[in-house]
Amino acid sequence: MPLVCLTDFQAQARERLSKSSWDFIEGGAGEGITRDDNIAAFKKIRLRPRYLRDVSEVDTRTTIQGEEISAPICVSPSGFHCLAWPDGEMSTSRAAQAAGVCYVTSTFASCSFEDIVAAAPGGLRWFQLYVQPDQQLNKQLVQRVESLGFKALVITVDAPIVGNRRHDIRNQLDLKMNLMLKDLRSPKERNSIPCLQTSAISTSFCWNDLSWFQSITRLPIILKGILTKEDAELAVKHNVHGIIVSNHGGRQLDEVPSSIDALTEVVAAVNGKIEVYLDGGVRTGNDVLKALALGAKCIFLGRPILWGLACKGEHGVREILNILKNEFCISMTLTGCRSIAEINRNLIQFSNL
């Protein structure tokens, strides 16, 4: 039977992966309330279609940080893609390039930056950084990815420590002992430096440290994990170039707002000064349309990418992206939107369900 939607891939990926790998990918923090709410919150929003419009041509293209993408659907940073497929991030990178969308490479990629770039040299890539306690390592990482052609620096702000992920604790999952994090070492160093611990994330990184990052790179800096107007206003004040509204897929602090619920507050706070994106809970083309109607410039896709990878490697990720792009195009057409510019707040209403 063909896989025709993202949840079809979810079901098949569960059959293909070990229990510990599946739990790591699917698990949330605490009771999993925010993880589940990310998806459920989209279903409380209803669409208000407009008809009798010429929709013979519908254009899904848009731009992020000045770079064109084929649709407002990109790949979130997630680590350890080799858990799902042997080629890991190399397959993900190739699929994103083929789809014409941005792939955000994680600090905790299981393939080296160089291998990821070589796999898809023409792809649009951003780099996600977990700020390390060692400033020299941060500098080396940032300047290394900049020299490799990555186009933006995404700094994750919601993970000074790892959230309370009960499944991983029960499974005694120890990724740092099983996977070599090649991306955290230069090619010459890979055989001489011990594997960096996944827990080595700075707990002291704060707003005043952003100016140091701005001084060492020309890349636009985007903050991932902002959920409140207060932090959104501070992001603008500190001259960052974008915000990814995200709760880390419900994997960090449980019982925070869903991403789509937090989006409105953040968009209002930045008031068009910087681009705002959404990560978390997107499973259908309608979800993409709803996020854009509420002010997101594009959405980033996390777990579904790993489902596609687990099922069919590069081709599975391509299928995931193409399914969502096609669904989004249908959603645009059936609501009377011929271009991204025509998507606005009037297209949606909040249900009482």
Side-chain angles (χ1 to χ4, degrees):
M1 194 183 313
L3 305 177
V4 301
C5 62
L6 270 57
T7 51
D8 284 352
F9 278 86
Q10 181 182 22
Q12 188 166 113
R14 182 168 193 167
E15 295 175 1
R16 289 174 176 264
L17 292 168
S18 69
K19 182 181 185 302
S20 62
S21 293
W22 176 254
D23 286 349
F24 172 71
I25 290 169
E26 287 297 294
E31 298 171 272
I33 290 168
T34 295
R35 179 200 60 185
D36 296 342
D37 198 30
N38 272 348
I39 297 169
F42 273 102
K43 308 314 170 191
K44 297 174 184 176
I45 303 171
R46 294 290 179 261
L47 299 173
R48 302 180 66 249
R50 299 298 306 279
Y51 296 124
L52 294 178
R53 292 180 172 181
D54 180 0
V55 287
S56 55
E57 292 187 12
V58 173
D59 186 359
T60 63
R61 291 176 299 171
T62 189
T63 62
I64 51 172
Q65 299 300 320
E67 299 276 350
E68 185 176 290
I69 50 178
S70 66
I73 298 162
C74 296
V75 180
S76 292
S78 57
F80 312 114
H81 286 202
C82 284
L83 284 175
W85 194 260
D87 282 347
E89 289 82 3
M90 290 187 288
S91 289
T92 306
S93 188
R94 284 190 291 262
Q97 177 180 268
V101 301
C102 179
Y103 164 43
V104 187
T105 303
S106 170
T107 295
F108 294 133
S110 43
C111 300
S112 74
F113 299 156
E114 288 78 9
D115 287 344
I116 292 167
V117 171
L124 174 61
R125 279 176 301 276
W126 293 358
F127 173 65
Q128 174 271 333
L129 176 70
Y130 284 114
V131 175
Q132 305 294 307
D134 181 349
Q135 284 288 63
Q136 191 59 32
L137 179 55
N138 289 321
K139 186 174 183 179
Q140 289 172 356
L141 283 169
V142 171
Q143 293 182 344
R144 183 170 153 212
V145 296
E146 187 168 5
S147 70
L148 285 169
F150 287 73
K151 296 296 185 183
L153 175 63
V154 177
I155 300 179
T156 295
V157 301
D158 62 359
I161 61 172
V162 175
N164 179 26
R165 303 175 190 175
R166 297 175 182 177
H167 289 299
D168 294 347
I169 297 167
R170 290 190 186 106
N171 292 331
Q172 298 181 311
L173 189 69
D174 195 353
L175 289 166
K176 59 183 176 284
M177 295 299 293
N178 296 320
L179 293 162
M180 293 298 289
L181 302 177
K182 296 178 182 177
D183 54 352
L184 290 168
R185 305 187 295 272
S186 70
K188 293 179 182 177
E189 294 171 325
R190 283 184 203 137
N191 295 323
S192 60
I193 295 182
C195 183
L196 183 114
Q197 302 292 295
T198 56
S199 58
I201 301 173
S202 173
T203 55
S204 62
F205 177 62
C206 61
W207 289 104
N208 290 337
D209 297 318
L210 284 172
S211 60
W212 181 82
F213 282 97
Q214 290 161 337
S215 75
I216 65 163
T217 183
R218 299 172 68 179
L219 296 177
I221 292 177
I222 294 152
L223 300 184
K224 178 177 181 285
I226 300 292
L227 291 171
T228 63
K229 66 177 182 179
E230 292 86 354
D231 280 346
E233 289 167 354
L234 282 168
V236 172
K237 180 181 177 182
H238 285 83
N239 300 310
V240 303
H241 289 79
I243 288 171
I244 301 178
V245 175
S246 171
N247 52 41
H248 219 104
R251 296 163 69 82
Q252 279 300 103
L253 179 62
D254 197 18
E255 298 181 69
V256 299
S258 71
S259 295
I260 194 67
D261 285 337
L263 179 64
T264 303
E265 178 176 328
V266 172
V267 167
V270 306
N271 195 28
K273 295 183 181 74
I274 59 176
E275 293 183 353
V276 178
Y277 319 105
L278 177 132
D279 163 78
V282 172
R283 298 293 180 266
T284 68
N286 278 353
D287 293 343
V288 180
L289 187 71
K290 292 169 183 178
L292 267 63
L294 285 171
K297 185 75 165 146
C298 83
I299 66 93
F300 286 88
L301 205 57
R303 290 182 179 93
I305 297 297
L306 293 167
W307 303 340
L309 203 58
C311 291
K312 303 182 184 182
E314 175 190 344
H315 296 292
V317 178
R318 282 198 195 194
E319 285 186 40
I320 288 282
L321 292 169
N322 286 332
I323 286 170
L324 200 59
K325 284 167 67 176
N326 289 336
E327 288 183 358
F328 175 59
C329 188
I330 292 169
S331 299
M332 285 182 65
T333 305
L334 291 179
T335 52
C337 297
R338 293 157 292 194
S339 69
I340 298 298
E342 293 185 352
I343 300 173
N344 59 61
R345 181 65 175 77
N346 293 327
L347 281 174
I348 58 169
Q349 65 185 35
F350 285 87
S351 166
N352 293 324
L353 294 177

